[in-house]
Amino acid sequence: MLLKELAAAASPLNEQQVHKLTQVAAELSATQLAWVSGYFYGISQQAQGLPVAVPAAAAQPAGKVTILYASQTGNAKGVAEALKAQADAAGVAAELFNVADYKVKQLKKETHVLIVTSTNGEGEPPDDAIEFHKQLKGGKVGKLEGLHYGVLALGDSSYEFFCQTGKDFDDYLAKAGATRLLERIDCDVDYEGAAEGWSKSALGLLKDALQVEAANHAAPVVSLTQGAASLYSKKHPFAAELVTNQKITGRDSDKDIRHIEISLEGSGLTYQPGDALGVWFSNDEALVDALLAQVGVAADAKVKVDDELLSIREALIHHYELTQGYAGFVQAYAELSGAKKLQKLAQDKAALREYCASHQILDIVREKKTRLTAEQLQGALRRLTPRLYSIASAQAEVEEEVHLTVGVVRYDNKGEPRAGGASSFLADRLAEGGQVRVFVEHNDNFRLPADDSTPVIMVGPGTGIAPFRAFMQEREARDAEGKNWLFFGNPHFTQDFLYQLEWQRYVKSGLLSRISLAFSRDQADKVYVQHKLRQQGAEVYAWLEQGAHFYVCGDANKMAKDVHEALIELVAEHGNKSREQAEEYVDALRSAKRYQRDVY
């Protein structure tokens, strides 16, 4: 039951109280919610003159487990927080830390540690785990014979170094002499089920290892069913209204980029600049019908999805990934169909990644016509996952709205048009006034400086401009005195200068101290943001020496790597440093959270 529905049901809360509770609850983590539920339970007992149950000393575990997380966009953090709440409910003493706030040498004092980690880009640790990873790799922790540990790795199998940071942590701890409490699992983008199973297994083993007494001796645990359902999250998204869908590239642009405005009225959802909005979408019905026809499956054939019996057509529209190719499907269909091309691809990871990047599920099954059953098709597919978009607005400016900058994915495959799942849903299939299910994904690794006098350098070509629009709205609302410098790039000035009037207004007002533009196709030689960084290298370095924070948002595969290289080079040149010293300087910026990236 949702909080906004409580007042209409058999609830003692009035509408105003429900609204206040919704606002407060939206700002709390799973761990904080669990604590608050117990706190309110205690108050209610005291108000009735009843004794408040306190766990007896004998009911406490002999030891505790330390839960560490390393998270780039928030997924690993969310899993770790849920694990902590489950441990609390099960009577397992647990402490939760971001690895950035945890000293590696503390591992020597631990008996049980669980690590939940994502992987950033091509095998790199998340920004908040760079130092932790470096010290573990270098053997700084020494011997850990008394430590029992488990690693849950989150990743994306479309990348070559899938779940590499989790594999690294597992390997480094084992080499230090620690003992696995349970085997590591490597989760793909549809990680929820696997993560839940691993968490349950880990807690079961911990209860035995830590000698926790029977559950009936523990403190009463207040059910969080209503409270959890009232929070809008990935599992419980808010049905929001699409207010505006506006194309912001020119008529002759090669890109179709939309400015999207969504109403959050009545949700109590809050966000900060740097956060992302998760968008659940439905697949194009025409695409689903073409796929079913290709594999010879009747649209009304029944399949079970989460204990619900649905037609295969309905299941494919709402529950399964069709617009992204992935290795698991290629391998499964190669086996089902006997397609030689796919079997060969499955043996070559690099070629398979390249193939998946340009082939949707329909394209893959067209490699060799094969009749499937509804169950075979369902079994080969992976579950639909929401898309995350960097938020392009600050609530200080837009209040109960959220804005996105969405590049619509469109391309041809052998003469047939293809489109991205979420981007085409927002741009083409969802009318203004229609509903879209959304949630906020908090990103503590992409935040404005707490000190409003700190200079900020922002590098955001293409749709990477989105969070920096939010940054400027926030800094304007806060009357921040710090200097701001934007590097923006796109193909053409006349067609692709996103939010041009807004940036010109910020320059005129003085809020935007400098703007460096790279329109790559407006001259014979292509010019990108990394070239502009090198050209302005002396001043960029001077800003960094003044304490500036450096932000990058956009394409991870090429742009972010080129910008990173340009940053190292300009630090070396203008800081009179060797290559090694420049790399150490940049690593220090990252460790101090002065170099932050939101790349995809």
Side-chain angles (χ1 to χ4, degrees), residues 65 78 106 122 191 199 410 448:
V65 59
Q106 182 66 24
E122 291 291 353
Y191 61 85
S199 297
R410 301 190 196 279
L448 275 167

Short mmCIF file of all heavy atoms in Angstrom, two decimals, residues 65 78 106 122 191 199 410 448:
data_model
loop_
_atom_site.label_atom_id
_atom_site.label_comp_id
_atom_site.label_asym_id
_atom_site.label_seq_id
_atom_site.Cartn_x
_atom_site.Cartn_y
_atom_site.Cartn_z
N VAL A 65 29.53 -8.66 11.60
CA VAL A 65 29.98 -8.66 10.22
C VAL A 65 30.10 -7.19 9.78
O VAL A 65 29.28 -6.35 10.14
CB VAL A 65 29.01 -9.43 9.30
CG1 VAL A 65 27.60 -8.83 9.33
CG2 VAL A 65 29.54 -9.44 7.86
N GLY A 78 22.89 0.42 -2.77
CA GLY A 78 21.53 -0.01 -2.45
C GLY A 78 21.48 -1.46 -2.00
O GLY A 78 20.77 -1.80 -1.04
N GLN A 106 42.17 -1.90 8.78
CA GLN A 106 41.13 -2.31 9.73
C GLN A 106 40.71 -3.76 9.48
O GLN A 106 40.18 -4.43 10.38
CB GLN A 106 39.93 -1.37 9.60
CG GLN A 106 38.77 -1.65 10.55
CD GLN A 106 39.13 -1.41 12.01
OE1 GLN A 106 40.05 -0.65 12.31
NE2 GLN A 106 38.42 -2.07 12.91
N GLU A 122 35.75 0.02 -18.10
CA GLU A 122 36.48 -1.17 -18.55
C GLU A 122 37.37 -1.73 -17.44
O GLU A 122 38.61 -1.66 -17.50
CB GLU A 122 37.30 -0.85 -19.80
CG GLU A 122 36.46 -0.57 -21.03
CD GLU A 122 35.74 -1.80 -21.55
OE1 GLU A 122 35.99 -2.90 -21.04
OE2 GLU A 122 34.93 -1.65 -22.48
N TYR A 191 20.50 -7.71 -11.78
CA TYR A 191 21.20 -8.32 -10.64
C TYR A 191 20.32 -8.65 -9.45
O TYR A 191 20.76 -9.36 -8.54
CB TYR A 191 22.31 -7.37 -10.17
CG TYR A 191 21.80 -6.03 -9.70
CD1 TYR A 191 21.35 -5.85 -8.39
CD2 TYR A 191 21.74 -4.95 -10.56
CE1 TYR A 191 20.86 -4.63 -7.95
CE2 TYR A 191 21.26 -3.73 -10.14
CZ TYR A 191 20.82 -3.56 -8.85
OH TYR A 191 20.31 -2.35 -8.44
N SER A 199 22.70 -12.71 -0.74
CA SER A 199 22.55 -12.09 0.58
C SER A 199 21.92 -13.06 1.57
O SER A 199 22.35 -13.16 2.73
CB SER A 199 21.68 -10.82 0.46
OG SER A 199 22.29 -9.87 -0.36
N ARG A 410 18.67 5.89 -32.70
CA ARG A 410 18.03 5.47 -33.96
C ARG A 410 19.15 5.04 -34.93
O ARG A 410 20.17 5.72 -35.07
CB ARG A 410 17.25 6.61 -34.60
CG ARG A 410 16.13 7.19 -33.74
CD ARG A 410 15.27 8.14 -34.59
NE ARG A 410 14.45 9.00 -33.78
CZ ARG A 410 13.29 8.66 -33.22
NH1 ARG A 410 12.83 7.43 -33.39
NH2 ARG A 410 12.59 9.52 -32.51
N LEU A 448 28.33 18.44 -6.41
CA LEU A 448 28.94 19.76 -6.33
C LEU A 448 29.74 19.89 -5.04
O LEU A 448 29.43 19.23 -4.04
CB LEU A 448 27.85 20.83 -6.34
CG LEU A 448 27.32 21.28 -7.70
CD1 LEU A 448 26.04 22.09 -7.53
CD2 LEU A 448 28.37 22.09 -8.46
#
